[in-house]
Amino acid sequence: MQRIGVFVCWCGSNIAGTVDVVAVAEALKKEPGVVFSTDYQYMCSQAGQDLIVSSVKEHNLTGLVICSCSPRMHEATFRKTAQVAGLNPYMVEIANIREQCSWVHKDMPIGTEKAIILGKAAVAKVNLNAPLTPGESPVTKRALVIGGGIAGIQTALDIADAGFPVDIVEKKPTIGGKMAQLDKTFPTLDCAACILTPKMVDVAQHENIRIFSYSEVTDVKGFIGNFDVTIKKNARFVNEDICTGCGDCVTKCPQKKVPNEFNLGMDNRSAIYIPFAQAVPKVATIDPAHCTMLKTGKCGVCSKVCKANAIDYTQKDEFITERYGAIVVATGFDPISMDKFDEFAYNQSKDVITSLEFERLTNAAGPTAGKLLRPSDGEHPHKIVFVQCVGSRCDSCAEKGKEYCSKICCMYTAKHAMLTRDKYPDTEVYVFYIDVRTPGKNFDEFYRRAVEEYDVHYIKGMVGKITPEGKKLMVRASDLLDGKQLNIDADLVVLATAIEPDKSARSLATMLTASMDTNDFFTEAHPKLRPVESPTAGVFLSGTCQGPKDIPETVSQAGAAASKVIGLLAKDKLKGNPCVASSDELMCNGCSSCEKVCPYGAITYENKEFRMPDRTTRVRRVASVNPAVCQGCGCCTVTCPSGAMDLRGFMNEQIMAEVDAICK
Amino acid sequence: MNKKYLREDIIRMSGVNPKKCMRCGKCSGTCPAYDEMEYHPHQFVSMVESGDIEPLLESDSLYRCLTCFACVERCPRGVEPAKLIEAVRLTAIRRQGANRLTPNDIPAMLDDEIPQQALVSAFRKYTK
């Protein structure tokens, strides 16, 4: 039999205002197992904790019930107090009489009655509590960063600088991501390449960083501290170690009609290519879909011109398995497809472009060498219309676009409009907006500068229809403030398209058992207090894979994720949560139900030999739980049809005892 | 009619929730009959939402809407302004003697070019 102490907290007037705490303490004295019961104004204060410790010693208590606020608030506090008093920390139960009682009731007698019932339930549970000890697991001191954009680069650099080895896996042939495609960055207008490429070089030269470019993660097993990750290195048909990146093969390749994805298909590249001059690693890659040699076996020009003998047409995809202590997801974003937005004529006219295409058109390294020219005829545009919120802020029932605000469009549109007017004073620039959202340091000043100093016409209203007519684009839109419908004969239309998470994110989330929201953004462990951690232990989030954000925010989140990873990798052993599921192998019928519902992949089945009563042995398939992976959610225990699965600290028996105590 | 009751009636009849509107004006930006109208599609939505419906009932704008549904198709919030205009129009012509079209008007309007379906449709739209 336990010797239980009950401690009822007033929480100032938070609890005592609606609950008669003295009556609660008095009533709980009569419960089985309770040998001591008292109340105190602030149980979490030092004096309150001292009261608990001295009572444990004085009354020789073996279990504690604290009637106070939510266990989310102070369970950890009181577990530490129990430890100080020499008890196992898991011999403490919290009866939540604040959030679930005093705060939701106005009537003192009702509140008091409910508090007593909640206290009784906790007492019934503590009677069945058993001491629990968390297990320990080792930590592999190596991190994996998935995605090599600015988020991945910054996270990798920060972790590597702290002395831990980091691998970056990037599916494209080069790291750099979307930022490498940008021209200038708001609100300071520094050139994206000038600030990004030195970081890319740092990554390449860092002794603690390895880059797996043109590679993908294909499998993740294991748990925090010990993830076994399979990385598929796609065959690039060029030996990375000896290619010097001289580019001779690229100039000599006879197949030059491949749409260049780096310039969003606005010009062509050759079948063997280096995405851009500052690529890291600066290594050529053969595109097998377009290489004549790989398709027909007749060509081999690149192999002949390569002085380093780096071309290898027989190269195969390679699979590497590596163990990591932590994984950072930095898979980034893509602009959404414009296929469903016929009204903007994106598929009808080459002169209707997305903002990312506009970035390439104004970039000195882009298809037009930085001159703003119409993609259709290469002429200089005079009237340019920018449309904001294209595909953002759409209602779900509109069946196209995204419900969220893409956050970066207002600022980059202001940047585009300003730079256009600055470089080409002969242009007329219109921006159609619904709201201009500029919350950020120096953001609104930047937008006002576009209007006041650069004469950009900001018009409140949305573009309804764009019709190509001859060389012009007829833009029909409303001007809500002037109460007019406008018809503008534009030369170029730029759509500020919504952004969405990269398509690879969903399959990756499944592999990592990390949760996502309905828009496929990774969810945080807590939206405010744990914003860079995934609910899955050991998985961290960096950049736009978690939600739309601009470069400064991405970089700060990347640093935050890195610091969390460093904190994890700095430990030699990890203490687990002892409240994990365990299976009674004698009762398990091997049905696999628990394995299917487990969101963390903690349950596996194995064939085990059992001695039967007649002294024969039988092999049975039974569930086994990996306590390091199990998060104690309890899905398996409610699914198990034979009642073999049980959650330590929340045994079925304990829950039933609580229910009985409430219903008594 | 009571102002509040009128607003609720129109919302119920149209099945439109004007609160979903984010005031972007894409409906009016796309409307081919914009210049013919005194009140424009986005104003129908905001005026119904605020209960300011009497001016809409009096306005000729009701009969200038082509019911082409461009606004319904393109509204990013799925508000469906044309359905709302339709409901206001029905409210107007359901008033005693407020039919917009009577069979007697037809002979004067007849034209070989007009398909019969247009006449049927006009009766459905403009007559109680």
Side-chain angles (χ1 to χ4, degrees):
Chain A
M1 192 71 187
Q2 306 268 22
R3 291 178 59 80
I4 300 169
V6 177
F7 299 86
V8 186
C9 180
W10 296 34
C11 197
S13 63
N14 271 303
I15 293 171
T18 341
V19 170
D20 182 349
V21 284
V22 179
V24 173
E26 204 51 45
L28 292 178
K29 246 179 209 161
K30 297 177 196 114
E31 285 304 297
V34 176
V35 292
F36 176 72
S37 181
T38 188
D39 58 274
Y40 187 73
Q41 269 169 330
Y42 290 102
M43 207 58 86
C44 58
S45 67
Q46 194 55 52
Q49 293 189 46
D50 289 345
L51 171 71
I52 295 174
V53 174
S54 62
S55 309
V56 168
K57 300 218 164 109
E58 193 180 324
H59 300 278
N60 213 4
L61 303 177
T62 60
L64 304 178
V65 168
I66 319 282
C67 301
S68 63
C69 51
S70 159
R72 284 212 163 236
M73 191 78 194
H74 276 312
E75 188 175 58
T77 313
F78 293 120
R79 280 193 175 153
K80 270 190 205 130
T81 314
Q83 213 162 9
V84 171
L87 294 180
N88 181 286
Y90 292 88
M91 296 306 290
V92 176
E93 284 304 323
I94 309 279
N96 179 358
I97 60 164
R98 193 178 74 169
E99 283 84 346
Q100 290 174 358
C101 185
S102 70
W103 278 1
V104 288
H105 292 291
K106 288 193 176 74
D107 192 43
M108 177 80 93
I110 291 176
T112 307
E113 191 191 343
K114 183 163 167 185
I116 292 170
I117 292 171
L118 291 170
K120 280 181 180 172
V123 170
K125 191 177 171 201
V126 174
N127 265 315
L128 298 169
N129 269 20
L132 298 174
T133 324
E136 279 187 342
S137 56
V139 180
T140 309
K141 294 182 180 288
R142 178 188 293 279
L144 172 68
V145 174
I146 305 170
I150 180 61
I153 289 173
Q154 187 62 48
T155 310
L157 282 173
D158 287 351
I159 299 171
D161 281 343
F164 296 107
V166 188
D167 290 348
I168 299 180
V169 172
E170 167 58 52
K171 66 177 176 184
K172 300 243 171 68
T174 170
I175 59 168
K178 290 286 178 298
M179 188 173 166
Q181 291 175 282
L182 306 183
D183 180 29
K184 298 211 162 44
T185 53
F186 61 78
T188 45
L189 295 179
D190 30 8
C191 132
C194 312
I195 54 177
L196 176 68
T197 50
K199 277 196 185 290
M200 291 164 63
V201 174
D202 287 351
V203 168
Q205 292 176 347
H206 207 295
E207 53 179 3
N208 283 337
I209 301 181
R210 277 194 301 180
I211 303 171
F212 292 99
S213 61
Y214 211 45
S215 305
E216 295 155 69
V217 170
T218 53
D219 190 37
V220 180
K221 286 202 180 75
F223 48 90
I224 179 169
N226 296 282
F227 292 105
D228 288 315
V229 179
T230 309
I231 299 163
K232 178 185 169 203
K233 284 189 76 179
N234 292 313
R236 67 199 313 161
F237 306 104
V238 172
N239 188 332
E240 270 180 65
D241 300 328
I242 51 178
C243 173
T244 58
C246 68
D248 284 351
C249 52
V250 178
T251 22
K252 293 283 160 44
C253 176
Q255 172 54 281
K256 291 208 160 44
K257 290 267 161 66
V258 187
N260 183 357
E261 47 283 270
F262 188 71
N263 284 335
L264 302 149
M266 289 189 292
D267 66 351
N268 291 331
R269 61 162 167 83
S270 45
I272 184 165
Y273 65 107
I274 299 173
F276 56 100
Q278 298 90 349
V280 169
K282 196 165 182 196
V283 174
T285 304
I286 295 181
D287 176 352
H290 295 96
C291 171
T292 325
M293 184 66 187
L294 290 172
K295 283 198 322 199
T296 65
K298 288 183 196 131
C299 179
V301 171
C302 48
S303 154
K304 280 174 212 139
V305 299
C306 180
K307 294 185 195 81
N309 268 330
I311 311 286
D312 175 7
Y313 298 115
T314 59
Q315 205 176 67
K316 297 265 178 313
D317 295 347
E318 197 186 331
F319 289 87
I320 299 164
T321 307
E322 191 75 57
R323 179 166 280 198
Y324 298 99
I327 298 178
V328 181
V329 183
T331 45
F333 74 95
D334 263 316
I336 63 165
S337 152
M338 283 289 99
D339 288 349
K340 282 186 175 171
F341 295 86
D342 287 341
E343 66 266 36
F344 296 124
Y346 178 77
N347 291 331
Q348 291 166 40
S349 169
K350 277 186 162 181
D351 297 330
V352 179
I353 58 174
T354 65
S355 298
L356 195 54
E357 288 166 356
F358 185 87
E359 291 281 352
R360 295 312 299 156
L361 276 187
T362 49
N363 191 306
T368 56
K371 284 195 199 75
L372 181 59
L373 303 173
R374 280 156 52 101
S376 64
D377 52 13
E379 280 179 26
H380 170 61
H382 293 277
K383 228 181 243 185
I384 304 163
V385 168
F386 289 87
V387 189
Q388 290 198 177
C389 293
V390 174
S392 295
R393 307 168 68 190
C394 292
D395 189 81
S396 55
C397 68
E399 286 174 4
K400 51 185 183 183
K402 301 288 172 185
E403 277 189 83
Y404 49 85
C405 164
S406 295
K407 198 171 185 181
I408 53 175
C409 329
C410 285
M411 284 302 288
Y412 71 58
T413 300
K415 174 191 79 177
H416 289 165
M418 186 190 287
L419 289 175
T420 306
R421 287 279 304 144
D422 185 50
K423 229 170 165 182
Y424 308 102
D426 62 325
T427 51
E428 251 186 280
V429 174
Y430 298 87
V431 176
F432 285 93
Y433 69 95
I434 304 173
D435 303 286
V436 179
R437 294 176 169 178
T438 53
K441 191 176 172 183
N442 294 326
F443 280 17
D444 206 64
E445 297 90 320
F446 183 85
Y447 148 63
R448 289 312 309 165
R449 207 141 57 89
V451 178
E452 291 167 28
E453 287 174 34
Y454 289 89
D455 276 334
V456 177
H457 306 296
Y458 266 78
I459 299 167
K460 180 169 169 63
M462 191 60 183
V463 169
K465 175 102 181 130
I466 296 168
T467 325
E469 264 182 40
K471 295 181 85 174
K472 293 280 184 185
L473 293 159
M474 299 308 294
V475 178
R476 184 189 279 171
S478 62
D479 181 338
L480 289 175
L481 295 180
D482 283 359
K484 277 191 303 200
Q485 194 176 54
L486 299 175
N487 284 288
I488 297 172
D489 54 335
D491 300 310
L492 185 70
V493 173
V494 185
L495 306 176
T497 36
I499 60 173
E500 64 181 357
D502 190 89
K503 291 274 180 285
S504 64
R506 179 147 285 271
S507 59
L508 186 65
T510 313
M511 280 185 248
L512 294 169
T513 61
S515 55
M516 291 187 131
D517 64 15
T518 49
N519 295 310
D520 280 6
F521 286 116
F522 281 87
T523 32
E524 324 76 353
H526 188 286
K528 290 161 195 106
L529 304 177
R530 294 174 69 194
V532 297
E533 294 156 81
S534 155
T536 305
V539 176
F540 302 88
L541 310 173
S542 175
T544 43
C545 68
Q546 179 257 343
K549 50 180 71 69
D550 58 20
I551 296 168
E553 278 183 305
T554 297
V555 171
S556 33
Q557 200 194 17
S563 77
K564 291 283 170 194
V565 170
I566 295 164
L568 169 62
L569 298 187
K571 290 179 185 154
D572 293 321
K573 298 257 180 210
L574 286 179
K575 250 194 188 152
N577 167 18
C579 297
V580 292
S582 66
S583 162
D584 182 343
E585 287 171 347
L586 294 174
M587 280 166 81
C588 175
N589 66 11
C591 71
S592 285
S593 304
C594 53
E595 189 185 10
K596 281 178 209 146
V597 297
C598 178
Y600 306 97
I603 300 173
T604 47
Y605 273 81
E606 54 193 43
N607 289 319
K608 260 196 170 173
E609 280 186 8
F610 288 89
R611 294 270 288 178
M612 303 307 284
D614 58 359
R615 301 194 170 193
T616 56
T617 44
R618 221 178 100 192
V619 177
R620 280 174 57 230
R621 193 169 168 274
V622 291
S624 102
V625 180
N626 183 339
V629 184
C630 176
Q631 301 288 314
C633 71
C635 283
C636 54
T637 57
V638 290
T639 310
C640 180
S642 54
M645 212 36 111
D646 223 341
L647 190 60
R648 289 192 188 125
F650 297 89
M651 308 293 273
N652 291 332
E653 200 191 3
Q654 291 177 297
I655 308 273
M656 287 318 291
E658 283 189 281
V659 175
D660 282 345
I662 290 169
C663 301
K664 205 158 53 185
Chain B
M1 204 189 292
N2 175 314
K3 198 169 145 182
K4 191 177 164 230
Y5 177 74
L6 187 59
R7 176 181 176 275
E8 276 169 15
D9 206 35
I10 286 170
I11 288 174
R12 185 172 45 79
M13 224 192 308
S14 60
V16 167
N17 178 4
K19 283 201 186 93
K20 282 170 83 172
C21 174
M22 65 168 167
R23 312 282 196 257
C24 74
K26 196 174 183 183
C27 47
S28 291
T30 201
C31 180
Y34 186 96
D35 290 335
E36 310 272 317
M37 295 168 104
E38 178 191 1
Y39 295 110
H40 305 112
H42 74 277
Q43 287 170 296
F44 270 89
V45 178
S46 64
M47 287 168 81
V48 169
E49 163 57 10
S50 62
D52 192 13
I53 295 162
E54 235 15 82
L56 297 177
L57 290 168
E58 304 295 325
S59 167
D60 224 31
S61 303
L62 285 181
Y63 311 101
R64 296 290 166 259
C65 167
L66 302 164
T67 329
C68 73
F69 276 60
C71 52
V72 174
E73 169 64 26
R74 289 172 197 153
C75 173
R77 304 290 312 161
V79 175
E80 308 183 310
K83 290 191 182 172
L84 201 67
I85 298 173
E86 177 85 18
V88 179
R89 183 165 52 224
L90 276 173
T91 311
I93 60 176
R94 277 178 187 179
R95 288 178 170 183
Q96 192 71 34
N99 278 350
R100 182 78 178 171
L101 193 68
T102 65
N104 298 337
D105 302 333
I106 297 298
M109 296 162 72
L110 272 183
D111 183 334
D112 290 343
E113 300 282 310
I114 296 181
Q116 210 167 17
Q117 201 180 351
L119 290 174
V120 176
S121 158
F123 268 107
R124 189 175 291 161
K125 243 165 111 174
Y126 297 145
T127 311
K128 180 162 61 170

